[in-house]
Amino acid sequence: MFPLNHKRRQILRWFALATGAAILPAACRQSSNSQAPIASSLKLQGNPASDQVSPVALLQTNDRVAGVSKILDLLQPEGLSDRSVFIKPNYNTGDPAPAATDTDLLDQLITEIENAGAGSITIGDRSGMAQTREAMQQKGVFDLAAKRGLETVVFDEMSAEQWQYFDAEGTHWKQGFAIARPILAK
C-alpha cells in the first residue's frame, strides 16, 4: 500500500523502477542457457531525496519459471506474510513474451508469493494499446486466477468511484491525477 503523503512523481518513479526491473533481463539476454546472476548486489537509488536504496538483481536464463525462483532467492523480499499483494503484469498485447507477461512466469510468481505467506493476491492491468480484457483472456490470466482462487481487475472497466483522485497541489499535474483504488488498498 502506498502512503498517501507521497507525490505522484514518487509513485511513478517506483512503478518505473519495478517496470525496469521486469524488462531489463530480457534486454540483457544473451545466447547462453546459464542461470548465473549477472549482478546480485547492484543497488539503485530510487528517490534522490531519500537514503533508501532498492536492490536489483539480473539473471540470464532461458527458463522464465526457474528464473522467478532464482531471482527471488537473490532479492530475498521480506514483509509479504499475511499482506495483500497486487500484481500488475504487462498486457498491452496478448502476444507471447516478451511482448506480454508470460503466463507460466506469472503462475510461478504467484506460487512464490503464496509460499512467502502472503494473504490475498489480485492481478490487474490496463492496456494502453490493446483491449485489456481481451489480452488478459488471450494470455489465460482469468483461467489462472480462477484456478488459483485469485481476484482480477481490469482497470478499463472501473467506474470513476473506483479511482482515488489526488489534487494538483505541489505537483506539475495541473488537474491532479488518479490511481486505481485496488492498488492503493493492497
Side-chain angles (χ1 to χ4, degrees), residues 106-122:
L106 179 61
D107 190 37
Q108 183 62 29
L109 179 59
I110 293 164
T111 297
E112 296 289 340
I113 291 169
E114 288 175 339
N115 289 345
S120 67
I121 300 173
T122 303

Side-chain angles (χ1 to χ4, degrees), residues 86-97:
F86 188 94
I87 301 173
K88 196 288 184 197
N90 173 28
Y91 294 114
N92 282 333
T93 177
D95 293 338

Side-chain angles (χ1 to χ4, degrees), residues 139-170:
K139 294 299 291 182
V141 175
F142 299 112
D143 292 338
L144 174 63
K147 178 179 93 175
R148 302 294 297 260
L150 310 178
E151 295 179 49
T152 57
V153 176
V154 178
F155 295 161
D156 301 345
E157 299 169 359
M158 293 173 45
S159 68
E161 294 79 32
Q162 292 174 297
W163 293 84
Q164 172 67 49
Y165 174 77
F166 295 89
D167 65 35
E169 185 178 330

Side-chain angles (χ1 to χ4, degrees):
M1 178 168 168
F2 292 108
L4 295 179
N5 62 344
H6 283 87
K7 301 289 186 234
R8 183 175 194 270
R9 185 174 295 228
Q10 291 170 310
I11 293 170
L12 290 174
R13 185 176 289 126
W14 292 333
F15 282 128
L17 285 171
T19 301
I23 65 171
L24 192 54
C28 295
R29 191 177 20 206
Q30 297 177 13
S31 61
S32 170
N33 287 335
S34 108
Q35 287 192 0
I38 296 171
S40 62
S41 60
L42 176 65
K43 301 233 180 209
L44 296 181
Q45 186 74 29
N47 180 353
S50 169
D51 61 354
Q52 294 180 343
V53 292
S54 300
V56 174
L58 303 177
L59 180 73
Q60 178 182 324
T61 183
N62 289 330
D63 184 346
R64 290 182 177 96
V65 173
V68 169
S69 299
K70 180 66 176 171
I71 211 76
L72 291 174
D73 275 347
L74 291 169
L75 292 172
Q76 297 183 357
E78 298 177 358
L80 293 178
S81 183
D82 298 319
R83 301 281 309 265
S84 294
V85 175
F86 188 94
I87 301 173
K88 196 288 184 197
N90 173 28
Y91 294 114
N92 282 333
T93 177
D95 293 338
T101 300
D102 181 74
T103 307
D104 291 336
L105 178 147
L106 179 61
D107 190 37
Q108 183 62 29
L109 179 59
I110 293 164
T111 297
E112 296 289 340
I113 291 169
E114 288 175 339
N115 289 345
S120 67
I121 300 173
T122 303
I123 305 168
D125 195 20
R126 180 178 192 172
S127 175
M129 299 167 27
Q131 295 295 322
T132 308
R133 177 167 292 280
E134 185 179 306
M136 290 174 74
Q137 282 174 329
Q138 188 175 348
K139 294 299 291 182
V141 175
F142 299 112
D143 292 338
L144 174 63
K147 178 179 93 175
R148 302 294 297 260
L150 310 178
E151 295 179 49
T152 57
V153 176
V154 178
F155 295 161
D156 301 345
E157 299 169 359
M158 293 173 45
S159 68
E161 294 79 32
Q162 292 174 297
W163 293 84
Q164 172 67 49
Y165 174 77
F166 295 89
D167 65 35
E169 185 178 330
T171 73
H172 70 279
W173 300 92
K174 293 179 178 152
Q175 296 179 353
F177 59 92
I179 296 179
R181 287 185 192 273
I183 293 174
L184 296 173
K186 302 296 175 191

